[in-house]
Amino acid sequence: MCIFCDIIDHKIPSKVVYEDDNVLAILDISQVTYGHTIVMPKKHVANILEADTETVKQCAEVTSNLSKKIVHVTKAAGCNILNNCGEVAGQTVHHLHFHIIPRYSVDDACQFIFNKSKPQDLEEVLKTIKEA
Ligand code: 5GP
Ligand code: ZN
């Protein structure tokens, strides 16, 4: 059972912003800011780590086009494009989706906190990633 698959199958109503053969974009029920939209593939895949490249590309194209349109029509000053991947990252619906969150001011309802963390040896980090 996946709530987004049920939305895609029209078993659960939603406010459809965009739809094509592969991708659906709907208004997020929570509307963190005015115009908050989520873009998802019609194919069920849990998250970006499990998605094939074609599915990600299809979502990225729609996310790119819609973000420009939404920012324009809402007269937002910018937007955050957000993908929560895995419970540890805050993903609550385990069907890949990208949030488009229009931003109206730095102190609107959408806040990300990057806490201070211990300094890292960037050479060592790079080696870990590139030499894997
Ligand atoms: P996540 O935390 O997984 O990145 O985001 C899931 C998002 O889906 C949340 O922002 C939540 O408000 C939205 N959501 C959950 N259930 C529904 C629903 O039934 N309809 C709509 N439109 N959005 C939903
Ligand atoms: Zn699903």
Side-chain angles (χ1 to χ4, degrees), residues 43-63:
K43 177 161 91 178
H44 179 90
V45 55
N47 59 45
I48 200 163
L49 297 176
E50 295 185 10
D52 57 279
T53 305
E54 190 53 33
T55 298
V56 175
K57 275 186 183 172
Q58 290 162 348
C59 289
E61 186 175 355
V62 174
T63 301

Side-chain angles (χ1 to χ4, degrees), residues 25-41:
I26 60 170
L27 291 182
D28 193 298
I29 207 160
S30 73
Q31 292 292 286
V32 169
T33 64
Y34 183 94
H36 180 184
T37 297
I38 40 183
V39 179
M40 66 190 77

Side-chain angles (χ1 to χ4, degrees), residues 33-103:
T33 64
Y34 183 94
H36 180 184
T37 297
I38 40 183
V39 179
M40 66 190 77
K42 287 191 173 175
K43 177 161 91 178
H44 179 90
V45 55
N47 59 45
I48 200 163
L49 297 176
E50 295 185 10
D52 57 279
T53 305
E54 190 53 33
T55 298
V56 175
K57 275 186 183 172
Q58 290 162 348
C59 289
E61 186 175 355
V62 174
T63 301
S64 170
N65 292 339
L66 266 187
S67 62
K68 289 172 188 151
K69 181 175 182 191
I70 290 168
V71 165
H72 179 69
V73 298
T74 60
K75 299 184 173 53
C79 65
N80 286 101
I81 308 297
L82 174 68
N83 171 250
N84 296 325
C85 182
E87 262 168 23
V88 71
Q91 185 176 8
T92 58
V93 177
H94 297 279
H95 180 127
L96 175 65
H97 56 282
F98 296 87
H99 296 256
I100 300 171
I101 308 173
R103 297 301 305 270

